[in-house]
Amino acid sequence: MASISLRHVSKLFGSVRAVDDALLDIADGEIICFLGPSGCGKTTTLRMIAGFDRPTSGEILIGDKVVSSAKDNVPPERRNLGMVFQNYAVWPHMNVFANVAYPLKLRRVPKRDLRQKVQHTISLVGLEGLEKRYPEQLSGGEQQRVALARSLVMEPVALLLDEPLSNLDAKLREKMRFELMDLHRQIGVTMVYVTHDQAEAMVLSDRVVVMNRGRVVQVDSPTAIYGEPRDPFVADFIGLANFVPVVLQDESAGQGVAESTGPARTRYRCRVRPHAGRVLPTKGTLFVRPEDVTILPPEEGEVKGTITRATFLGTRLDVRVDVDGVEWRADASTDSDLHEGKQVGLSIRRAIFFDS
């Protein structure tokens, strides 16, 4: 097992800066998920860790060894990394056993050791009894397990996974997430995981690396990424959010009072991030999660509004409320008597102020 470090890593494709000054330390045995919109640089970063792409500048270390820099690039086969791709990449003409054994055959592992290692790894990923089946006889989830076993059989120091569950249906994808977590508990290998699926990142990660336009925006625990976003991009990209234009009127010790810019001039208590040189009043945005908005009778809320939509989502109602031309989004119980056109009040339990 090994740690992985990125030291001011950048990657340019012509004039396009795909990765911009990435700085990151991944601990030995940690599960890190790279998360961000398409084109944000997460797969390029993974490919540089794997050795498929060389950084334009900066260094990548595996353990204490520099494996990638602008001057040198240790080839992928000498990094002892396992790689699992989105499209499985299993050999169609080989059965399960032969697919898993293939990396060991390339290393000329003796037959007796090879059989033991392959059988152990096949058991580890839950493919016992399927050793003689060919990929066309397997489900998508089983093929993905074959790809996983093939990457693990050579005992890599880290496992790199590039959206490995994206081709699976929703139920199987959820099942595989927990199987990956259980597997990690058993073997403890460092995992670097690329995904565009927020739920996947939240379930699997020790820490989430949020990227945007090639830059690492925030590295934090799933709880902190969701509840303590550092800027509006992270707040908007992760989960659902309300963004309300306000003016910060007062602040002290991380707490403040913000006033809406609408006709009602409603005042909200909020948490305020430190900002050197901030002069009050300051225009900005109030960030509130839908679950932090309570729907009340009109006379009991901090603000009053009209429901424009109430959508049944199985376990909850997704309610949209117009307040002086600003749409608020709130969660409500499915047994609530809420419908389009109803007058309601809103109370805000928790809010964060972001400078414009």
Side-chain angles (χ1 to χ4, degrees):
M1 312 307 170
S3 60
I4 299 172
S5 299
L6 280 67
R7 295 280 180 262
H8 300 288
V9 171
S10 294
K11 179 62 179 178
L12 276 68
F13 294 102
S15 61
V16 177
R17 189 172 288 272
V19 178
D20 187 6
D21 197 34
L23 187 64
L24 178 66
D25 288 312
I26 302 170
D28 183 8
E30 188 174 24
I31 304 182
I32 282 281
C33 277
F34 284 93
L35 181 66
S38 296
C40 71
K42 54 189 185 292
T43 293
T44 300
T45 304
L46 193 77
R47 287 178 59 84
M48 287 191 290
I49 294 172
F52 300 137
D53 291 331
R54 179 184 294 186
T56 305
S57 61
E59 295 180 336
I60 297 174
L61 290 80
I62 297 177
D64 57 1
K65 181 182 178 182
V66 177
V67 295
S68 283
S69 68
K71 296 180 180 180
D72 192 26
N73 196 62
V74 175
E77 65 271 16
R78 289 174 47 201
R79 298 192 180 197
N80 194 24
L81 299 172
M83 187 89 185
V84 181
F85 299 94
Q86 179 179 353
N87 63 353
Y88 316 144
V90 295
W91 298 107
H93 63 289
M94 294 182 182
N95 62 24
V96 169
F97 188 95
N99 260 288
V100 178
Y102 187 72
L104 300 180
K105 285 187 176 180
L106 290 180
R107 294 186 178 188
R108 300 184 184 278
V109 173
K111 285 187 177 180
R112 182 179 176 182
D113 292 341
L114 180 147
R115 180 163 290 278
Q116 288 178 346
K117 285 178 177 289
V118 171
Q119 204 60 56
H120 171 71
T121 308
I122 284 175
S123 298
L124 200 62
V125 299
L127 288 174
E128 308 100 311
L130 304 181
E131 292 87 346
K132 294 182 180 180
R133 289 194 186 179
Y134 286 83
E136 64 181 15
Q137 299 171 305
L138 303 174
S139 68
E142 288 165 345
Q143 289 185 50
Q144 192 58 281
R145 287 188 181 91
V146 174
L148 187 59
R150 188 178 55 194
S151 296
L152 291 172
V153 74
M154 58 185 187
E155 299 177 356
V157 296
L159 188 61
L160 312 182
L161 304 102
D162 187 9
E163 302 202 31
L165 308 183
S166 61
N167 288 337
L168 305 179
D169 64 65
K171 283 282 188 182
L172 186 53
R173 196 161 59 237
E174 183 182 33
K175 182 174 184 288
M176 286 295 294
R177 288 173 197 157
F178 291 105
E179 289 188 3
L180 281 171
M181 291 177 66
D182 292 340
L183 180 65
H184 181 261
R185 290 193 186 100
Q186 292 182 62
I187 61 178
V189 68
T190 306
M191 288 187 181
V192 184
Y193 195 106
V194 165
T195 182
H196 64 273
D197 187 316
Q198 297 176 21
E200 213 161 85
M202 293 294 178
V203 169
L204 285 168
S205 303
D206 294 315
R207 288 186 298 158
V208 179
V209 180
V210 182
M211 296 187 70
N212 185 36
R213 296 181 180 178
R215 295 194 66 85
V216 173
V217 183
Q218 185 170 349
V219 183
D220 236 320
S221 69
T223 303
I225 289 287
Y226 186 82
E228 300 290 335
R230 292 182 185 171
D231 66 14
F233 170 79
V234 178
D236 190 31
F237 186 74
I238 307 296
L240 302 174
N242 294 289
F243 292 99
V244 181
V246 293
V247 176
L248 185 65
Q249 300 287 359
D250 179 49
E251 67 168 307
S252 176
Q255 299 294 319
V257 175
E259 186 177 273
S260 69
T261 57
R265 297 291 182 186
T266 306
R267 295 170 73 86
Y268 305 95
R269 294 195 176 276
C270 57
R271 285 185 298 114
V272 182
R273 297 196 174 282
H275 188 286
R278 181 189 283 138
V279 178
L280 299 178
T282 301
K283 288 185 177 181
T285 304
L286 207 64
F287 156 68
V288 184
R289 294 287 185 200
E291 61 267 28
D292 290 324
V293 180
T294 303
I295 299 177
L296 300 166
E299 64 278 6
E300 296 180 19
E302 295 173 25
V303 296
K304 296 178 178 63
T306 305
I307 294 177
T308 58
R309 183 179 298 172
T311 307
F312 176 72
L313 297 178
T315 58
R316 63 185 176 86
L317 285 179
D318 175 30
V319 184
R320 314 291 180 96
V321 180
D322 179 79
V323 178
D324 297 324
V326 175
E327 183 181 77
W328 282 85
R329 195 168 185 172
D331 286 344
S333 170
T334 54
D335 59 2
S336 303
D337 180 25
L338 300 174
H339 52 81
E340 184 177 335
K342 184 171 183 175
Q343 300 293 305
V344 295
L346 301 181
S347 177
I348 313 305
R349 290 193 295 270
R350 184 175 177 273
I352 297 176
F353 174 83
F354 288 124
D355 291 86
S356 296

